[in-house]
Amino acid sequence: GVFERKYELDSLCNVLHLSSLYYQVIGQADEAFEGPWPDAVRKILSVFKDQQASSEEEGDRPVYTFQRRTTEPTDTLSHGRGFPAARTGLIKTSFRPSDDAHTLPFLIPANAFAVVVLNATIPLLHAKSMKAEADMARKLADEISNAIEKYGIISHPTAGRVFAYEVDGFGSAYFMDDANVPSLLALPYLGFTTKSNSLYVATRKAVWSHTNPYFFNGSAGEGIGGPHNGLNYVWPISVIVRALTSTSNDEISKCLELLVNSSVCTGLIHESFLKNNLQVYTRPWFAWANSFFGHLILTIAKERPCLIFKCT
C-alpha cells in the first residue's frame, strides 16, 4: 500500500491490470503510456524479480523491510522482514490485500493475479517497442505459473486437492481465504482459471465452508472475513465475489438478497457485518465494496438480466 508503505504484490499488479485494460479498450498506446509510465513498469518488473529471491539470497540486507510498534501482530513484520522464503519462482508479498501481514511469504492468489496481468501487459509493451520488458514479463509469468503448479497446490486432509492460500517454498502451506481480492474464491474473476475447473471447484467449496478458518455463518448471513477485523465479521466483498464466480442463478440471487439486507437501509455496502447481527458493522461507507457492488450489478445486467430486471 502506498499510504502506509506496506508492500503488497497486488497493488503493483493492479497498475499493470489497469494499463492493459485501458490499452484493450483504446486499441493504441496513446499519451497515457508516455511520461513516467515506461519507467514505472520497469520498476514494477524489477520489484517482481527482486522479490523472487529467497531469504538466504537476501542475506542481512533485504531490499524491503517494515516494522513498527502496534497492538496487532498482523500490522507489522517479524524482525522487519517476515517469515523465511525459499526460491521457488513465486513472488513474495509482505502484506495481503487486506493490509495484514502474511503468515507465509508467497500469497498464491496474488501470484496468480501476477501471471494474468503480466501476460495481459505483453501486447502493450510490444506496442511501446519495449521488447526487453515484454520478454521479462513473459519469463516472469511462466516462472510464476510453473511455481504455482509445483508449490501452490496441496492435498488437504478433508478438502482434497486444492489451491493453498500461502506457501513458503520449504514445504509448508496455509489453507484459508480472505475476503479481500485477490483471493482463492476470486481466481476465475481474476482470469487465472475457469469457474468449472475441477481444482477451483474443490477450492471454492472448501473456502466457502468451515474448512476455511475465516468463513463465518450466522443468523444474519454467511461469508468470508479475515484477520483484519477478527472473528465472526463477514465482509460483503466476499459475497460479491461469490456472485461473480457463481454459475447458479439461485446462488447469485441469494448473494444479492444478503447484500441488500446487509446495507440495513443505509443504501450503502459496509466493510463487514457481525454474522448474527446486521446492525453491527464496520465502515458504514466502504468505497471498495460499493464500487465492487456496482460492478457486480453491471455484470449481472449484461450476463443475467432477468435476475434484476423484469423479463417477459
Side-chain angles (χ1 to χ4, degrees):
V2 176
F3 175 72
E4 291 189 283
R5 207 183 64 82
K6 288 180 174 178
Y7 160 60
E8 299 178 13
L9 172 56
D10 63 286
S11 296
L12 300 183
C13 287
N14 273 303
V15 177
L16 301 183
H17 183 51
L18 180 60
S19 297
S20 62
L21 287 178
Y22 181 87
Y23 176 67
Q24 290 168 22
V25 172
I26 300 300
Q28 60 182 359
D30 65 9
E31 61 274 9
F33 304 109
E34 300 297 337
W37 188 86
D39 285 339
V41 170
R42 292 186 188 101
K43 185 63 176 177
I44 288 171
L45 295 176
S46 176
V47 170
F48 285 0
K49 187 172 178 61
D50 286 344
Q51 292 303 315
Q52 287 181 307
S54 69
S55 301
E56 183 177 14
E57 289 170 329
E58 288 181 328
D60 295 330
R61 299 180 66 85
V63 294
Y64 173 80
T65 60
F66 184 95
Q67 192 172 42
R68 66 182 178 194
R69 292 183 180 275
T70 176
T71 58
E72 294 294 337
T74 56
D75 210 27
T76 190
L77 297 176
S78 175
H79 300 285
R81 62 190 298 177
F83 293 94
R87 176 172 282 276
T88 61
L90 296 166
I91 302 171
K92 298 191 296 293
T93 184
S94 299
F95 292 88
R96 299 169 178 168
S98 60
D99 298 338
D100 299 311
H102 66 236
T103 297
L104 298 177
F106 299 118
L107 179 61
I108 295 302
N111 274 270
F113 190 32
V115 172
V116 173
V117 300
L118 285 165
N119 283 323
T121 308
I122 290 171
L124 170 56
L125 294 172
H126 281 301
K128 291 290 295 177
S129 299
M130 297 171 66
K131 184 180 183 301
E133 290 78 7
D135 291 344
M136 186 176 179
R138 174 72 69 190
K139 184 173 185 292
L140 282 166
D142 289 345
E143 289 175 351
I144 300 164
S145 182
N146 291 336
I148 290 174
E149 184 72 24
K150 182 175 181 179
Y151 296 97
I153 300 171
I154 61 172
S155 180
H156 191 279
T158 58
R161 190 168 177 264
V162 293
F163 286 107
Y165 186 69
E166 291 174 339
V167 300
D168 63 3
F170 294 108
S172 297
Y174 184 25
F175 184 80
M176 59 160 280
D177 205 16
D178 190 286
N180 293 271
V181 179
S183 62
L184 293 178
L185 185 65
L187 289 177
Y189 171 73
L190 299 173
F192 182 73
T193 189
T194 63
K195 297 177 184 179
S196 60
N197 176 274
S198 59
L199 181 60
Y200 171 72
V201 170
T203 304
R204 188 179 196 271
K205 181 179 179 182
V207 299
W208 204 269
S209 77
H210 291 292
T211 302
N212 175 9
Y214 290 103
F215 173 79
F216 309 116
N217 184 314
S219 58
E222 66 178 29
I224 298 169
H228 197 75
N229 286 345
L231 298 178
N232 300 322
Y233 277 88
V234 173
W235 287 52
I237 282 178
S238 73
V239 182
I240 294 170
V241 174
R242 187 189 189 196
L244 286 168
T245 58
S246 178
T247 58
S248 164
N249 282 347
D250 182 60
E251 184 177 53
I252 295 170
S253 295
K254 289 179 179 178
C255 289
L256 289 173
E257 181 180 7
L258 177 55
L259 289 167
V260 171
N261 291 340
S262 72
S263 71
V264 288
C265 297
T266 64
L268 296 168
I269 304 296
H270 310 312
E271 179 191 49
S272 68
F273 62 85
L274 192 62
K275 69 176 186 179
N276 290 322
N277 188 349
L278 293 174
Q279 298 290 337
V280 180
Y281 54 82
T282 62
R283 292 193 192 179
W285 188 82
F286 189 37
W288 184 4
N290 282 274
S291 301
F292 207 17
F293 177 72
H295 171 64
L296 171 63
I297 296 302
L298 291 174
T299 301
I300 294 173
K302 180 180 179 181
E303 299 177 358
R304 301 172 186 261
C306 290
L307 291 182
I308 55 177
F309 301 122
K310 290 183 179 179
C311 296
T312 56

